[in-house]
Amino acid sequence: MASYLYYLLPAVGGYALTSLYFLKNPHFLHKKKQTAFYCTHISHRGGSGERIENTMGAFTHAAEVGTEMLELDCHLTKDSHVVVSHDENLLRQTGQDVNISSLNLEELPPYKETLEVTFKAGHFSTGSDRNIALLEDVFRKFPQIAVNIEVKENNSMLIEKISDLVKKYNREAISVWASVDSTIMENCRKTNSSMPYMFTVKRALKMLLLYYTGLLPFVPLGESFLSANTKYFHTMLKVTYFNRMFKHLRDRGIQIHLFVCNEEQDIEAAFAAGATGVMTDYPTLLSNYIRRHKQDT
């Protein structure tokens, strides 16, 4: 047993030191990713705390206060239009228990006059624009703003039409595939591999396992963005060892977006943890925070 440990301990120690070295110096093993944009300000559903979510009014307001990325979800109407909506079923958003896929574009109902902010219970937004938006209108009006496109259903026609619109408006470099589901992401990547993409839940968990076993520095990563919900990291954000993973990812050119930060203390904690960008329902709040802290530096 003693002789076994004589060989094992140095090997384990050597592996740990090597892993730590490449964790701190990933450029020796990996070429740093170069994305076409870098954003610190992301508006969740267009900033659903200040305007009705996912409307052109919300996206316009977010752009006016300085957002650098719009986060949105897409679905397909019965007559094959790609529309922007978080939910496929419209009960929560419009009060009508109907699915987008069962309606033609002109049949889509308007949003409610006031809508509760999902990530801030008891708070409501309103706005003059209550129409469900077309993805094409978003691309047409905001040609220079990055868009995070989350796909929630494994619908090949939807994915192909999103890809076609991205190509039509020449924005493959600033449009990002996002999905929590790895099967959906595979379909998105197969349809358009030129667009950067986010970690899925399965891939993020695998990445965490690689990190805690010391293997992460040695494994190539295709993703350009990690998006993580702050409620899962609320206590871990203060752990220095966990922050090392964020630094390693940043050093490899992977942007880290933490969501949904709707209080100034959450925004501050996210940036302190090493987030490169923060996603919020309150774009004015985030813009003011960023502006103040730029003045302080």
Side-chain angles (χ1 to χ4, degrees), residues 15-262:
Y15 167 72
L17 289 173
T18 303
S19 175
L20 183 59
Y21 179 81
F22 287 118
L23 185 73
K24 294 180 177 180
N25 302 280
H27 58 279
F28 286 117
L29 297 178
H30 307 282
K31 183 178 179 180
K32 189 172 183 178
K33 294 177 183 294
Q34 299 292 335
T35 50
F37 66 94
Y38 186 92
C39 57
T40 57
H41 188 304
I42 305 109
S43 292
H44 181 245
R45 305 183 196 175
S48 64
E50 297 178 4
R51 296 292 189 276
I52 297 293
E53 66 180 54
N54 285 324
T55 59
M56 292 301 295
F59 299 135
T60 300
H61 171 68
E64 288 173 348
V65 301
T67 199
E68 296 159 314
M69 173 181 262
L70 300 171
E71 186 274 342
L72 51 80
D73 312 83
C74 290
H75 295 278
L76 201 62
T77 63
K78 184 178 179 181
D79 52 350
S80 300
H81 289 279
V82 182
V83 295
V84 181
S85 172
H86 183 270
D87 303 346
E88 156 69 1
N89 182 276
L90 294 174
L91 181 61
R92 176 186 67 86
Q93 298 163 190
T94 71
Q96 296 190 31
D97 189 9
V98 292
N99 292 333
I100 290 174
S101 58
S102 69
L103 300 175
N104 292 324
L105 179 64
E106 66 271 14
E107 298 172 324
L108 294 174
Y111 283 105
K112 296 175 182 177
E113 291 185 5
T114 60
L115 199 60
E116 187 171 19
V117 182
T118 303
F119 286 88
K120 198 169 185 182
H123 292 256
F124 294 81
S125 62
T126 188
S128 58
D129 184 2
R130 295 166 52 208
N131 297 317
I132 294 175
L134 285 164
L135 180 63
E136 184 164 14
D137 287 344
V138 177
F139 286 173
R140 187 184 293 118
K141 186 166 185 178
F142 309 106
Q144 305 302 321
I145 296 181
V147 177
N148 172 350
I149 306 166
E150 182 165 355
V151 182
K152 286 185 162 66
E153 53 184 303
N154 198 14
N155 183 327
S156 294
M157 182 180 291
L158 169 64
I159 293 168
E160 288 171 7
K161 285 187 172 292
I162 292 171
S163 175
D164 289 344
L165 287 171
V166 168
K167 291 176 181 178
K168 177 180 178 180
Y169 288 92
N170 192 30
R171 50 177 300 126
E172 286 177 296
I174 59 170
S175 300
V176 180
W177 287 124
S179 182
V180 299
D181 186 282
S182 292
T183 302
I184 296 174
M185 182 59 75
E186 287 174 9
N187 199 352
C188 292
R189 293 282 298 138
K190 182 179 179 181
T191 303
N192 191 332
S193 60
S194 297
M195 292 168 57
Y197 61 104
M198 297 235 178
F199 281 89
T200 62
V201 171
K202 182 178 179 180
R203 284 282 297 165
L205 291 173
K206 180 179 179 181
M207 186 263 297
L208 280 171
L209 179 62
L210 291 170
Y211 172 64
Y212 284 114
T213 56
L215 292 170
L216 182 59
F218 308 105
V219 177
L221 299 172
E223 293 85 353
S224 297
F225 300 88
L226 171 66
S227 185
N229 193 324
T230 53
K231 74 178 182 179
Y232 299 124
F233 293 91
H234 189 71
T235 56
M236 291 189 287
L237 288 178
K238 301 176 183 179
V239 180
T240 302
Y241 185 70
F242 186 80
N243 292 358
R244 290 176 183 169
M245 184 186 73
F246 282 176
K247 183 179 185 305
H248 174 79
L249 295 176
R250 292 198 310 272
D251 289 344
R252 290 174 67 165
I254 296 172
Q255 296 183 47
I256 302 157
H257 299 166
L258 296 184
F259 70 93
V260 173
C261 299
N262 289 336

